Each structure stands twice: as C-alpha cells, then as structure tokens.
Amino acid sequence: MGIDTALIWAVIILFGVLLYVIADGFDLGVGLLFPLAPAKEDRDRMMASIAPVWDGNETWLILGGAGLMAAFPLAYAVILNALYIPVLMMLIGLILRGVAFEARAKASSNSRHWWDKAFFTGSLLATFFQGVILGAYISGLPVENGTFSGHALSWVSPFALFCGLSLIPAYALLGSTWLIMKSENSLQQQMRRLSKPLIWLLMGFILLVSLWTPLAHESIAECWFSLPNLFWLAPLPIFTALACLGLLKMVDRGEAGPFVMTLIIMSLGFLGLGISLWPNVIPPAISIWQASAPVASQGFALVGALLIIPVILTYSAWSYYVFRGKVDMEDGYH
C-alpha cells in the first residue's frame, strides 16, 4: 500500500492555515483595537506586544500558499483566478500595516497619528478580505474543463461579505485576550471590558454562520445532519458553546487563560469548517485527489516541507519563549 501524499499535503496545508489564523489573527486583532486605545502609551504597549513576532506569524500564510501550488496546482490556479481581487486586497492590507508598523516607530509625534490610522486600516482590510475569501470559498467555485468558469466578481455574495464581517470580532477577540495576557493596569482592564461584548458578538456571528451555511449549501447540510454523522458531530457545536461561556467567566480574572480559551474556540471553528468541506479542495465537488499534482512531484516537495516545518516551529516557539511575559514601557519595537 503506497503513501497517500495528497492526504499528507492536505494535512500540512490545513495545519499551516490554522497556525496562520491563530498567530496572525491576534496581531491583526491588536490593529483592529487601535482606535479604542486613545492613550499614546497604551498604543505603544500594544505595538510592543506584537513587535517580536508579527512578521514571523505570516510565514504560515506563505507555507499554505506554496504548499497549495506544489501539491494541488489545479486548486491553486482556480482559487487565485476566482479570488484574485479579495486576495489582492488582503495583501494590500498586510503591506499597509507592515509599512505603518515600521514607519510609526520613526515618525514624529505630530505625524504618528497618520500611521496609527494606517495600521488600523491595513488590519481591517486584511481581516475583512480574509473572511470574504473564506465565505466565497465555502460557497463554491465554478470549474469547467479544469479552469475557473466564473467572472471577476463571482466572489461577491451576501454570505461572503457576512463572513468578512464575522472575522472582525473573532480577530479582535484574539487581540484583546492577547493583550490581557501581555499587559497590565489600565490597558489590561480596558481589554477585559472590551472582551465581553466581543465574545457575545462572536457568539452571534458563529450562530448565524452555522445556520446560514447548511441552509445555503446542501452538501454541507447533508454532511452535518445525515445519520450517523449527526451523532458524531453534535459534540463540536456543544463544545464551542461551552468554550464561549467559559471564556465569559474567565475574562474577568484570567491572565493567559482567556487567550488560550479563545484559541480553542478558533480551533473548533476551523475544525468545523474542515469537516464541512472535506475532502474537497475546490468546493463543492473537486477532491484533494482529483486536484493533486503527480505523486512524484508531491513527494519531492514533501521532503522539503518536512525539513523546513520543524525549523519554522522551533524558531517560532523560541521567539515566543524569549519574549514571554508582560510588556513594559521600556520595550521597544526591535
């Protein structure tokens, strides 16, 4: 029995995307919360909390994109053709916030507010269009003869735009609980107060997306509500609801706990998404095996991936370990 390289690559890409959502999600969330921190000292602390790790977090996005191109070239070609505009807008947002991040550190006190606004705008653009990409992807991409058969605005739909809005409170909650863990005094208390309405808002969006998705997509409804799947999958929404309620109780007194619980909620949501779409890499009907590159090509690329992923994980873990603990006013950007 041969090795299923398509399955291995699917797991690697899903793993990379999950780590990107978790890691870059909280630093995008910090950017989304910037307008809610009027004091310059608090904004400086917020920036300092993500300064050592924000650029490394985006490594996982590159891994996911490169893995998709190497292992599933059909999916790579179709997805980019279908979602070119929202992907471009997401990248513009990431570039804008990266430039603002560096420029703000060197700007004068009179001009720094412009870079604060640019940092927030870039974070908002990147977050919203990541959600739009997800919603359009879930909705399905029309394919004929191995090519995308839609048009440049096929991605625009009420569901995709709603998913874009849904990701904003999710990332903002990741950012607020990250700052609860990394800050003290007034900034920490402010983030505790902000987290509660964000939790309720996120719970509402999760509920609406969870209802809308199976109602709009018959294959997803069949996946979740057919027997015996219903019995096997019912614990997932129950665990998600319990995690949200647990986070509500924890946010007033926890330090690292609220952030960890938010990561669990995000991971459960990602797991639900994976279950809904599996094994299709191009929804609604093209599986990972149908979109696969030749086995030899996948195997060759897999060797490199299995060598580099432990290096990335080790570097990332070491960075978080070195810069653990609370952020002080003396902490700089570099």
Side-chain angles (χ1 to χ4, degrees), residues 77-99:
V78 169
I79 291 170
L80 279 192
N81 278 332
L83 305 175
Y84 183 82
I85 293 175
V87 168
L88 180 62
M89 294 301 296
M90 177 192 72
L91 293 177
I92 289 173
L94 292 174
I95 292 169
L96 179 60
R97 70 188 295 271
V99 172

Side-chain angles (χ1 to χ4, degrees), residues 126-141:
T127 301
F128 176 73
F129 279 101
Q130 282 180 24
V132 169
I133 290 167
L134 175 62
Y137 181 75
I138 294 172
S139 297
L141 309 176

Side-chain angles (χ1 to χ4, degrees), residues 249-304:
K249 293 182 178 180
M250 192 180 294
V251 76
D252 283 330
R253 60 181 185 276
E255 293 280 335
F259 182 64
V260 173
M261 188 61 73
T262 307
L263 295 182
I264 291 173
I265 294 169
M266 296 294 290
S267 299
L268 289 171
F270 189 82
L271 178 59
L273 172 65
I275 290 171
S276 298
L277 299 178
W278 184 259
N280 296 322
V281 69
I282 307 177
I286 298 179
S287 71
I288 58 172
W289 298 282
Q290 293 171 312
S292 289
V295 173
S297 298
Q298 286 186 336
F300 179 78
L302 186 60
V303 174

Side-chain angles (χ1 to χ4, degrees), residues 1-59:
M1 185 176 180
I3 298 175
D4 191 340
T5 53
L7 180 60
I8 295 172
W9 265 112
V11 171
I12 289 174
I13 293 170
L14 288 171
F15 176 71
V17 172
L18 174 61
L19 286 183
Y20 172 76
V21 169
I22 288 174
D24 210 36
F26 74 76
D27 62 59
L28 284 168
V30 170
L32 293 172
L33 296 170
F34 232 54
L36 302 178
K40 174 189 175 296
E41 293 77 11
D42 286 343
R43 293 196 298 273
D44 289 344
R45 288 193 184 95
M46 292 167 73
M47 291 294 250
S49 75
I50 60 174
V53 296
W54 75 273
D55 48 354
N57 291 340
E58 294 175 359
T59 305

Side-chain angles (χ1 to χ4, degrees), residues 113-154:
H113 70 98
W114 291 110
W115 295 114
D116 289 349
K117 293 179 176 65
F119 186 65
F120 164 73
T121 302
S123 300
L124 182 62
L125 271 177
T127 301
F128 176 73
F129 279 101
Q130 282 180 24
V132 169
I133 290 167
L134 175 62
Y137 181 75
I138 294 172
S139 297
L141 309 176
V143 179
E144 290 183 8
N145 300 319
T147 59
F148 173 63
S149 60
H151 54 81
L153 296 179
S154 293

